[in-house]
Amino acid sequence: MKSRILIYSILFFCFLSIISCEDILDEDPKTIISPANFFTSANDFDAAIKGAYGIIHEDLIGGRQTEIKELFGDYYDEPESAEQGRDMWRNNPGNNYWSIRHGWSVPYSVISNANQVLEAIETSSVLTTAQSTSFAAEAKFLRAYAYFQLVQLYGDVPLRTAPVAGVNDVQIDKSPQAQVYDLIIQDLLDAEAGLPNASSQEGRVNSNVAKALLARVYLTTAGNPMNITGNYNLALAKANEVINGPYALLDNFGEVFKNTSYTSESIWEILYLEGITSNGMHNQTAPTGNQTALLLPTDTFINSFPVGDSRQEWGIQDNFVTSGGNEFVARTYFNKFIDESKLEQELTPSATQTDYTFPLIRLAEMYLIAAEAENEINGPTNAYAYINEVRRRARIDENDPTHVPDLAGLSQEQFRTAVIWERKWELFTEGHAWYDLKRTNTFDAVQTARGGELIVPIGAYNQTWILPDFEILNNDIEDNPSYGG
């Protein structure tokens, strides 16, 4: 059995995006391990790469990234949390909000680690050629993944491709989105070429993961705001490479989730070990009255599913009654990451940890990318095969023709709407909501869903989140358009 990489931080380099210039100047030099002194063996490079992976699990801690990537989706009800999460849901973010800060600092921390590794590889004498190629490809993938998060959330961002050597390197201007995407795509192409076909450890990326992320990047850049429509062809080609690769859709939708290791559908997932690190999605989706549930389904969304859809029957539960007859959860909730044993014990959020994996990329998304891209290129005729493969898996009774029937006879515009709904039904709570709103430029759906519950109405400013306060101060760069401004 292959060993697996546990996603927690093994090594942290200097997180220059979240500390002030004064902190840099006041740091005791004796406490710093310089890259020149650190990278003395292949194991050191491996540890640095693992450190970059470890930072990624921060995306799910305390709901900080759930708020900025998912909560704003039009199919989410008002969150149980009464603090910053509710303001985010009401379209009223603040520069000092945790989600705004972490949406910036977590990716830049990954980038910092990746840049340290890439610079060290250039001068290293301890690595073989094969090791240099593999480590560089892995570092470039992680850097590309981090920049992809940043450019989607914040638009133009500072582009750092080398370690920050001193205070003078902290303040740099934003780079245009097109330039950021150029780096992302080149890094992923390099990663695809340099990574092995299969990972040495579960949780680490390989060439197929790079192909899958390229498919997502190409689809994104074909849509708003880049509108490079020729990239639909590239998205379709890469998605097909993955679909025809070593993966397979599971027969049952519920089997995709609540696992502690990869399945045949897993392309890239975050792994946890209960008691050491924890998947926070149980607390963020279980409305136990403890102000931790951020993602809750609206009645409109619940009623939108096709007849006989397991993604609704299994994926959304009405309530939870313990074996003793106590209704511990009294409203509908998303079930993908819920540990029923924790609900049965009526555990508070502080006592609840789960080691369920979290999917960053899985095969069903590749089918939906292919469906969307094919429809945009040629219309729906050949796109049905992709979307109907996902719909067939969703049927409660595969022999009942009324259960999630195959799509047919749609116009290109009707199919365009259908595939977006399919993404909502298939991918809810997995971190795609805000990105899909931006790529399809459909923020008005949030206005329709929430209306007067929004503190700030939907506007052009919704194309980007505002920048965190520390970056405006430290880097002396202009904020993105303010909400309501």
Side-chain angles (χ1 to χ4, degrees), residues 52 109 138 417 441:
S109 297
E138 201 165 5
T417 300
N441 201 18

Side-chain angles (χ1 to χ4, degrees), residues 318-479:
D318 290 333
N319 63 352
F320 186 89
V321 180
T322 67
S323 59
N326 181 44
E327 189 177 44
F328 185 55
V329 177
R331 63 150 291 160
T332 53
Y333 61 92
F334 292 115
N335 186 42
K336 283 182 178 178
F337 304 102
I338 295 295
D339 185 342
E340 289 86 353
S341 70
K342 311 295 185 183
L343 299 182
E344 175 64 30
Q345 298 173 65
E346 301 187 28
L347 294 178
T348 62
S350 61
T352 301
Q353 290 187 324
T354 71
D355 56 351
Y356 296 146
T357 65
F358 184 85
L360 294 173
I361 311 176
R362 59 185 178 91
L363 184 59
E365 182 198 354
M366 295 298 106
Y367 278 98
L368 296 178
I369 287 175
E372 184 172 348
E374 174 64 37
N375 180 61
E376 294 299 331
I377 299 165
N378 300 309
T381 301
N382 294 322
Y384 292 123
Y386 299 111
I387 198 169
N388 286 337
E389 193 69 22
V390 176
R391 289 172 67 84
R392 275 192 286 274
R393 196 267 296 279
R395 294 171 185 162
I396 295 172
D397 183 353
E398 62 181 17
N399 297 315
D400 188 335
T402 68
H403 283 197
V404 198
D406 282 354
L407 297 181
L410 302 179
S411 68
Q412 185 180 45
E413 181 59 36
Q414 288 171 328
F415 191 97
R416 187 176 290 137
T417 300
V419 76
I420 293 303
W421 272 106
E422 207 69 41
R423 288 181 66 89
K424 294 178 183 180
W425 296 328
E426 180 71 25
L427 302 173
F428 60 82
T429 71
E430 295 181 47
H432 298 269
W434 194 89
Y435 298 144
D436 282 351
L437 287 169
K438 180 171 181 176
R439 177 173 55 78
T440 59
N441 201 18
T442 53
F443 287 104
D444 58 334
V446 179
Q447 186 71 56
T448 300
R450 293 175 194 159
E453 294 179 286
L454 297 176
I455 293 176
V456 177
I458 296 299
Y461 34 79
N462 281 108
Q463 295 290 323
T464 55
W465 289 107
I466 54 178
L467 301 188
D469 49 2
F470 60 75
E471 186 66 18
I472 297 170
L473 175 64
N474 292 346
N475 199 9
D476 192 27
I477 57 176
E478 183 180 0
D479 196 2

